[in-house]
Amino acid sequence: MASRKTSDLHPPLQPATPAAAWGDVPNYVQDCVQRSFLFLDTLLDRGNDYLEHLEQGTPPLLKFDHELVLDGHDLPEPCNYALLRLQPPPGLPVDAQARPVVVVDPRAGHGPGIGGFKFDSEVGMAMKAGHTVYFVTFRPEPEDGQTLVTVMDAEARFLEEVIRRHPQCPAKPVVIGNCQAGWAMMTLDAVRPELFGPLMMVGAPASYWAGSSTLNPMRYSGANLGGTWLASLAADLGADRFDGAYLVENFEKLNPANTFWSKYYNLWAGVDQEAPRFLEFERWWGGFFRMTGAEIEAITENLFVGNKLARGELEVKGRPVNLRDITAPIVVFASWGDNITPPPQALNWIIDVWGDERAIAAAGRTIIYVLHESVGHLGIFVGGSVALKEHDQLVSSLDVIESLPPGLYEMKLERKDDRASQRWDALEPGDYTVHYQHRTMEDLRKLNPEGREEESLFSTISQWSQLNAQWYKTWVRPWVRMSATRESANALMRMNPLRMQRQLFSDKHPAAAFIRQQAAAARAHRVELDPDHPLKQYERRMAQKITDELNAWRDQRDARTVRMTRRLFGPNGLGAWLPPREPDAELAQRWAQQELGRYRDTVIGQIADGGFAEAVCRIVIAGMVSIGAFERRSLRLARLLAQLPNMHASVSPQTNWVQLLKEQARITAVAPVEALNALGQMLPDKASRERALALAAAVMMIEPTLANPRSEIIELLMGTLDAEPDRVIALARKLTAAIGEDGEALPTVQPDPAPAVAPKRAPRKAVAAKAVAKPAAKPAAKPKKAAAADQPAKAAKPRPRRP
């Protein structure tokens, strides 16, 4: 058979004509013109929104209806803060027994509302869980004489009022501090710990010198300007008012590509869909609030440049603020995509305050952190995906967070999609399973990509800033204050470029009527082009090139600033004249070793005190060491097991398992080997030992079989305590069969009381625990088949589990 010619199958391509290569040029030009008028029309709307917001008194931009509970203006020492109670949308009932949630928004240039910007937010997730939600807001102008202490006293009064309004709830409020509100709430928590339940710090800086030259180069820029004296000058020129627009300008300088190009190009390119989102965000971004000179000086001198909070040198009413005085759990949420508060700035205070993770446990404190891989600073508060994942899981895990044994943890979230069904899955409803992995100070140090050595630069910068600030306050401030008036300050405020670009381009603009007319015509005769149109593709490539060029300029600018700072303040510069002080981490480590030694001496003499309940707590804690992570389901399962009658003769319904667990965790933090060696004295008879081991195996969800590495510590203790493995596992199966694994059969779990569950400990502790076993101790035998008496255990058949 004759074959076909290749040219018959694939005819040669004809060269494209210029018109075909460029597409439909007239329609593209018409589309560009229409998009331009719609773009300008949107900017007019932005200006109108800005002016309307000013006329309304710049109220908080909350999606939710609300009522005023307390106004700081009416307090004995007035301030511009107020407490609101948010109303949930229809269909979301409030659980009167659920603890209240108080959301505090940052005062960092913008107005309040970012925490409740939309339903998919931390506010919305708290309402979804049935919590009554309160919101701490503030007005655009401070009260005369207002200070950070004034604000702190007002916020303490707000929390007292929230507690008073919920007498039926014994648990203290959950407080969420966003960004700058995080360090403010942490300070108040250290001074008034009796007012706080768990404190969540979201994108909040607390270690101001931490970071790296690539994560947050903005921290270097203030050094080259001489420190805090410029903030004092700006406040003095404002007649004791510091304009928040200056702070917003600093934020915009971080990403010039977005500030000057990307956000406007994205609006122009997709104006038909992007306009509502752009206007919603710009309404909040364009709300600029002011603070007093005393407030901005306290923030810059004590915190951002002085870094006194973690060091314990910040004073409130003559009393040092010690972050170790915070008793309730602290949850820190940070992101690697955040160039304003990267993880080191959010977490290094833990190293500088505590020095050793064992000191956290020995003091009875619980600290948890959550890290996101990519979301930006604002996305932490308003990102819908973040709200539906991290915020939702944090709120739904409050019962676990407050019942965790003391220690340092990282909270890990894993989707359940395409995974085998887990045991006791009904105890963890939703799309995610949660694990609390024990962490050490070394884990935190590894989060610093460039190490912490360069923080010595900022110690020198702080000293240099103090000298400049003192010079300014002595020789310049009197003259500036003599010339500044409230009228000149208001005029200076109105002339700020960020305000001018909004108020000048509104319906008051001479060309507004023409723009509106052309935009209406564009909507009526809109030309729609395919996104793959050749000229549209070329447009996107050019836009990306402009973005890349601006990013390259930013990187060069930042690198130049970093080099200059290192030369000026390094050991060959001012660092030789103003040498850095000893690192706070070293001071904290010495303190921790002393405290751990003292506490160990105290508990060693009482190591064998306690009975069945205390022994169970120790076993579970040791078990979680070998498991390597604490699971949320385990705590909820343990709570159900604690409700079973006749647990042990020494256990009463009033037994406070949570308190016992925390006490035993403190002991095992400083004396892990001795704590396990004492189990034989705490459990004098064989029946008690086997029942304690069975209960611990049930809590750790390993009771169906011991033939896996997750049960290593239970096997070890069976040999040490001379227990019969078959009897232990049979009893553990009976315990879990008694409460059932069917979701519909599970008793209701209340969120606040909780029994024993424990986290993992450092691997070196697990090795130490093995030393408890005596050479003569026989290894635990593998369990035999369940006897007839064990048949109820079939209901607890193990399901495939995550390794």
Side-chain angles (χ1 to χ4, degrees), residues 229 233 236 471-481:
W229 73 274
L233 172 62
D236 290 339
W471 172 84
Y472 168 79
K473 292 175 183 179
T474 303
W475 300 105
V476 181
R477 165 169 281 174
W479 300 98
V480 177
R481 286 185 170 179

Side-chain angles (χ1 to χ4, degrees), residues 6-271:
T6 305
S7 58
D8 294 332
L9 293 174
H10 303 285
L13 296 175
Q14 297 297 324
T17 64
W22 287 100
D24 190 352
V25 176
N27 276 343
Y28 175 76
V29 172
Q30 186 177 358
D31 173 51
C32 288
V33 173
Q34 289 181 343
R35 281 189 283 161
S36 297
F37 280 111
L38 293 174
F39 170 81
L40 294 173
D41 185 71
T42 303
L43 294 186
L44 290 175
D45 288 339
R46 181 180 72 167
N48 291 341
D49 288 347
Y50 173 76
L51 295 176
E52 179 187 12
H53 199 209
L54 290 180
E55 292 173 0
Q56 294 172 349
T58 323
L61 298 176
L62 294 168
K63 183 179 179 63
F64 309 91
D65 293 333
H66 51 271
E67 62 174 342
L68 179 65
V69 177
L70 271 180
D71 192 338
H73 178 75
D74 301 327
L75 296 178
E77 295 185 8
C79 68
N80 64 336
Y81 277 66
L83 177 67
L84 307 178
R85 182 181 183 274
L86 305 186
Q87 304 294 336
L92 285 182
V94 174
D95 183 358
Q97 299 301 318
R99 67 169 79 222
V101 173
V102 181
V103 178
V104 189
D105 254 10
R107 189 156 162 248
H110 298 103
I114 194 70
F117 203 55
K118 51 188 177 181
F119 182 77
D120 288 342
S121 62
E122 53 201 15
V123 169
M125 295 304 102
M127 288 181 172
K128 178 183 172 184
H131 297 273
T132 303
V133 180
Y134 294 86
F135 189 85
V136 176
T137 184
F138 45 90
R139 291 185 295 276
E141 292 294 332
E143 299 284 343
D144 288 335
Q146 179 175 312
T147 67
L148 290 185
V149 175
T150 309
V151 173
M152 189 182 72
D153 289 342
E155 289 168 334
R157 179 69 186 87
F158 294 162
L159 290 178
E160 290 172 349
E161 178 62 19
V162 170
I163 294 171
R164 187 192 69 80
R165 291 165 66 96
H166 295 267
Q168 78 286 354
C169 183
K172 295 297 190 295
V174 176
V175 180
I176 302 176
N178 291 326
C179 190
Q180 303 297 332
W183 58 255
M185 289 299 100
M186 184 190 289
T187 303
L188 178 58
D189 198 350
V191 175
R192 298 287 304 277
E194 74 279 5
L195 300 178
F196 283 76
L199 170 63
M200 297 186 186
M201 299 173 57
V202 183
S207 297
Y208 309 94
W209 295 350
S212 74
S213 59
T214 54
L215 283 177
N216 55 334
M218 185 174 68
R219 64 186 184 141
Y220 295 87
S221 60
N224 296 331
L225 297 174
T228 66
W229 73 274
L230 272 178
S232 300
L233 172 62
D236 290 339
L237 289 173
D240 196 39
R241 292 292 183 271
F242 179 84
D243 190 359
Y246 296 137
L247 299 177
V248 180
E249 283 183 302
N250 286 333
F251 296 146
E252 293 202 335
K253 290 175 183 176
L254 283 174
N255 192 355
N258 181 73
T259 299
F260 300 118
W261 173 252
S262 297
K263 75 173 181 178
Y264 294 113
Y265 168 74
N266 292 336
L267 173 62
W268 179 76
V271 67

Side-chain angles (χ1 to χ4, degrees), residues 523-660:
R523 292 189 183 94
H525 307 285
R526 189 76 174 92
V527 174
E528 296 287 348
L529 291 182
D530 191 285
D532 293 330
H533 188 284
L535 287 174
K536 282 245 182 179
Q537 296 182 39
Y538 179 74
E539 171 194 301
R540 289 193 291 269
R541 289 196 298 270
M542 290 301 297
Q544 186 59 50
K545 185 172 180 59
I546 294 173
T547 300
D548 293 342
E549 290 295 331
L550 287 171
N551 285 337
W553 174 81
R554 175 205 61 198
D555 294 342
Q556 292 172 3
R557 177 202 65 185
D558 293 343
R560 186 167 55 251
T561 301
V562 171
R563 286 196 303 270
M564 187 179 300
T565 302
R566 288 170 176 169
R567 289 172 182 170
L568 284 175
F569 298 97
N572 296 323
L574 288 173
W577 178 41
L578 301 171
R581 57 174 292 163
E582 183 179 8
D584 298 324
E586 295 180 7
L587 294 173
Q589 192 171 33
R590 283 204 300 272
W591 170 88
Q593 297 307 313
Q594 295 171 1
E595 287 296 307
L596 288 170
R598 282 195 290 266
Y599 188 65
R600 176 182 168 84
D601 293 341
T602 301
V603 302
I604 283 295
Q606 309 167 356
I607 200 74
D609 290 355
F612 178 83
E614 289 82 359
V616 169
C617 292
R618 289 191 190 181
I619 296 171
V620 172
I621 290 172
M624 292 302 173
V625 170
S626 62
I627 288 175
F630 166 72
E631 298 190 34
R632 181 167 60 179
R633 290 170 297 153
S634 290
L635 176 65
R636 292 171 176 168
L637 174 60
R639 186 175 300 127
L640 297 177
L641 291 169
Q643 297 173 8
L644 293 176
N646 303 319
M647 177 69 65
H648 189 267
S650 63
V651 178
S652 70
Q654 289 74 39
T655 299
N656 189 335
W657 287 91
V658 171
Q659 184 61 33
L660 289 178

Side-chain angles (χ1 to χ4, degrees), residues 702-765:
I702 61 174
E703 81 283 353
T705 175
L706 288 179
N708 66 77
R710 295 173 65 85
S711 60
E712 176 183 353
I713 195 66
I714 298 295
E715 291 187 88
L716 172 67
L717 290 177
M718 282 187 184
T720 303
L721 298 177
D722 194 25
E724 293 293 334
D726 289 350
R727 291 167 58 89
V728 170
I729 299 307
L731 180 55
R733 288 172 174 171
K734 289 180 180 179
L735 289 172
T736 52
I739 58 176
E741 195 168 350
D742 184 358
E744 296 181 358
L746 291 175
T748 301
V749 178
Q750 298 300 324
D752 292 315
V757 190
K760 87 167 200 177
R761 305 293 297 174
R764 56 191 173 87
K765 297 290 195 308

